[in-house]
Amino acid sequence: MRSTSRATRATLLCLFLVGVLSGTALAWDSVCNSGEMCNFSNGPFVSPIAASSSGDNNYSGDVFPGTQQTLNDSVSSIRNLKTNRDVVWYVDAGYRGALRCLDAGYQLGNLGSLNDKFSSHLIAANDTC
């Protein structure tokens, strides 16, 4: 058995992790619970709902749970039920473009000019907004 160098092992580990992590999809659920951020397709606060406790840097390919409706560019109202974290929504994937920030415990039923435009969200530190 041939020994591999530390650099080769590190490279292989990185490639494995990139493959594993890039295929990991965010787990969305259809109930807006404490500790989660929530996207509503119809506003204000009407189903379908996509809720998660994690950030998502790209809504492309995501759907509202229990539906075939795409999440990307389909959010009409938002809610932040995190207890001590702000949530920042962005109109472009990769946390780019215009944004809307909500403090922990806040909600917004009318997104105005940002209606049906969000493509990513970030769970931020408290007092980011």
Side-chain angles (χ1 to χ4, degrees):
M1 181 172 174
R2 192 162 67 171
S3 131
T4 56
S5 71
R6 181 176 285 170
T8 301
R9 287 191 305 265
T11 301
L12 291 173
L13 177 61
C14 287
L15 289 172
F16 171 76
L17 289 175
V18 167
V20 169
L21 295 177
S22 66
T24 304
L26 179 68
W28 292 100
D29 65 73
S30 60
V31 179
C32 193
N33 292 311
S34 177
E36 294 185 316
M37 56 66 54
C38 311
N39 289 326
F40 296 80
S41 175
N42 301 305
F45 313 111
V46 179
S47 297
I49 301 167
S52 176
S53 59
S54 302
D56 188 344
N57 72 347
N58 191 343
Y59 289 175
S60 293
D62 295 351
V63 295
F64 285 91
T67 75
Q68 295 300 312
Q69 182 179 343
T70 182
L71 185 58
N72 194 50
D73 295 335
S74 295
V75 177
S76 294
S77 54
I78 53 179
R79 182 176 286 157
N80 179 4
L81 293 183
K82 304 293 264 178
T83 55
N84 60 355
R85 305 286 297 271
D86 296 344
V87 179
V88 185
W89 282 263
Y90 296 88
V91 298
D92 295 325
Y95 314 125
R96 295 185 333 260
L99 60 92
R100 181 64 172 110
C101 189
L102 280 183
D103 290 318
Y106 281 77
Q107 61 186 17
L108 187 60
N110 182 347
L111 297 177
S113 65
L114 297 176
N115 187 58
D116 291 338
K117 295 198 177 168
F118 290 134
S119 295
S120 59
H121 74 272
L122 176 70
I123 308 300
N126 204 21
D127 298 324
T128 297
C129 301

